[in-house]
Amino acid sequence: MLGDVLQDLLEEGVQLLGEHLVLVLSAMLIASAIAIPGGLLLATNPRARRWALGLANIGQTIPSLALFGFLIPIPFIGGIGQHTAIVALVLYALLPILRNTVTGILGVDPVVRDSAVAMGMTRGQILRMIELPLAAPTIIAGLRIATVTTIGTATIAAAIGAGGLGVFIFRGIASVDKIQILAGAVPAALLALAADGALGWLEKRISK
Amino acid sequence: MSFVEFRNVHFRIGGRAILNGLTFSIAAGETLVLLGRSGSGKTTALRLINAMHEPTSGEVLVDGKATTAWDRVRLRRGIGYVIQEGGLFPHFTVARNIALIPQLENWPIEKTIARVDALLSSVNLNPADFAHRLPRELSGGQRQRVGVARALAADPAILLFDEPFGALDPVTRLDLQREFLRLRADLGKTSVFVTHDVQEAMKLATRIALLHEGNLAFIGAPSEFEASTHPEARAFLDVLNEARRAR
């Protein structure tokens, strides 16, 4: 009896974990593709920087459940399901990546940049060979924060039918079933710890 | 033939005049020392040569062509630039720092490696010991030597030095000044050297250009400088005489 319940839980768990990973990875890929190049552009433009970081800050202050709700009636990007959840997760992940990319690039010693210019390096060469490698540990730290937050926030995606480990949690809350809640929460927490560890390791390796 | 020529060069930043109509030329193979107090405009004058600044009016000619007419990347690759502490790239090894311009210029790899070794030896650093170190694993004097080696890498016709030895202890400084003279004798490059240290200027210069509040107060050989009656020249000579008396 109990064995069957656990068996079912495990089978569903593997599927939900898969969905969760898809949500997190898609959101992180899209957010990085926007925020890293965006951060590079903002680093050279103080005015746009204030606006963009302010906007991203405001995005971050919207409670996640409310943001999911707001997105449902919006055409194309909204509605019920996975893609709406991914849009919301991307919005949350943008700020840490954007901010750390800007901080990393601005943190490059001006003397180092100056001597690169004076040596006759082009803008692209300076970015590729000097600025990006020197900013890399800070950028990865931003990815790390964003990934860990996204893994947690993605549990709420179940509320708008996007699946993931949050399905267990919401169902567990509805039926006052601690086992179900834990079946969602514990893997999500372990996933976050694993991502934190892996990216932390990468960050340290690169800053050597 | 004059290699670098300033023609009535003015430079202002935000309405503030930094340089007021500099006119002078630098001959191939000479070492011109730009001497002056802080804020005299000497570093600005130096940075006009490799187009890190553009004149507000007037022009700076390098090899007969205005810096504004040059392709900046080409111009700068032909001019070695040495700053305090070398300005080395902290994430590159010593060898990669030196090899950077040859690499960007697509030199064959064997030629680049041989060049790095030869340059390290020429600044008295053993390649086997130093090639693979990071800048933070070097002393200030060693970083400065690598900075000189890097500036020489692509065999530029002109070398610019922006107070390169200012942060070094006096013993290391003397050592590097001697090496500067030895390298100059060996290579015969056109050099422009910024300093506020009159002793250093007298030791290294074939000619001294004294800048005072953005004006050229004096230009000539060190022996002529000692005879100058310009008040700013006298002020610097007092420092020199004071140092001699103390001996």
Side-chain angles (χ1 to χ4, degrees), chain B residues 16-243:
Chain B
R16 200 162 66 92
I18 310 288
L19 296 174
N20 307 310
L22 292 189
T23 300
F24 63 92
S25 55
I26 304 166
E30 81 165 320
T31 301
L32 183 83
V33 172
L34 291 166
L35 177 67
R37 307 184 194 202
S38 308
S40 59
K42 54 193 189 302
T43 293
T44 306
L46 186 82
R47 289 167 68 90
L48 282 161
I49 300 172
N50 60 353
M52 296 297 281
H53 294 312
E54 273 182 17
T56 309
S57 67
E59 53 184 6
V60 179
L61 306 178
V62 174
D63 211 3
K65 189 161 137 191
T67 50
T68 46
W70 273 89
D71 170 57
R72 286 172 182 224
V73 167
R74 286 260 56 83
L75 174 73
R76 290 172 184 154
R77 290 213 184 148
I79 301 179
Y81 187 59
V82 185
I83 57 175
Q84 219 170 69
E85 290 273 299
L88 301 178
F89 302 132
H91 57 308
F92 281 7
T93 60
V94 163
R96 265 198 88 189
N97 262 288
I98 300 172
L100 183 69
I101 294 302
Q103 186 197 335
L104 294 180
E105 296 277 310
N106 294 317
W107 287 24
I109 191 86
E110 306 77 38
K111 186 181 166 196
T112 306
I113 292 170
R115 181 74 180 152
V116 168
D117 281 2
L119 283 166
L120 279 173
S121 305
S122 78
V123 294
N124 277 334
L125 294 174
N126 180 0
D129 263 1
F130 287 94
H132 299 292
R133 292 204 204 175
L134 286 171
R136 64 164 175 268
E137 298 163 336
L138 304 176
S139 71
Q142 288 164 346
R143 273 199 286 273
Q144 202 60 66
R145 287 165 193 267
V146 176
V148 172
R150 185 176 68 170
L152 289 168
D155 204 20
I158 304 171
L159 289 170
L160 306 181
F161 295 84
D162 190 2
E163 303 210 34
F165 309 148
L168 301 175
D169 65 80
V171 180
T172 310
R173 185 174 193 156
L174 183 63
D175 217 27
L176 278 163
Q177 287 170 343
R178 285 187 182 137
E179 249 169 79
F180 176 87
L181 292 172
R182 183 179 56 76
L183 276 173
R184 184 176 74 192
D186 287 355
L187 305 173
K189 303 264 183 208
T190 307
S191 308
V192 188
F193 194 109
V194 164
T195 185
H196 56 235
D197 179 343
V198 62
Q199 276 179 285
E200 185 164 77
M202 296 295 284
K203 201 179 305 175
L204 303 183
T206 52
R207 280 195 308 157
I208 292 174
L210 178 67
L211 290 184
H212 180 50
E213 292 172 356
N215 298 299
L216 186 65
F218 167 89
I219 186 164
S223 57
E224 293 162 358
F225 181 69
E226 277 195 278
S228 171
T229 54
H230 191 284
E232 183 67 1
R234 298 309 320 164
F236 271 99
L237 287 163
D238 280 347
V239 177
L240 195 63
N241 291 331
E242 199 70 30

Side-chain angles (χ1 to χ4, degrees), chain A residues 71-153:
Chain A
L71 287 174
I72 290 175
I74 298 178
F76 301 116
I77 60 166
I80 294 286
Q82 226 176 26
H83 67 285
T84 311
I86 291 173
V87 170
L89 293 176
V90 166
L91 289 178
Y92 280 109
L94 283 178
L95 181 67
I97 307 175
L98 201 60
R99 196 170 39 202
N100 276 44
T101 304
V102 170
T103 309
I105 297 292
L106 292 182
V108 173
D109 185 350
V111 173
V112 167
R113 190 179 288 115
D114 190 70
S115 66
V117 175
M119 284 171 75
M121 293 178 82
T122 62
R123 189 76 204 97
Q125 286 162 349
I126 293 173
L127 183 66
R128 196 161 39 80
M129 303 176 76
I130 311 296
E131 291 179 326
L132 271 179
L134 287 173
T138 315
I139 297 175
I140 290 170
L143 290 175
R144 187 178 165 191
I145 298 165
T147 307
V148 171
T149 320
T150 303
I151 291 171
T153 313

Side-chain angles (χ1 to χ4, degrees), chain A residues 52-67:
Chain A
L53 288 182
L55 218 62
N57 256 324
I58 292 171
Q60 201 109 38
T61 60
I62 304 172
S64 41
L65 200 52
L67 183 60

Side-chain angles (χ1 to χ4, degrees), chain A residues 34-48:
Chain A
I34 299 170
I36 295 177
L40 298 179
L41 287 175
L42 292 182
T44 57
N45 188 338
R47 261 180 72 118

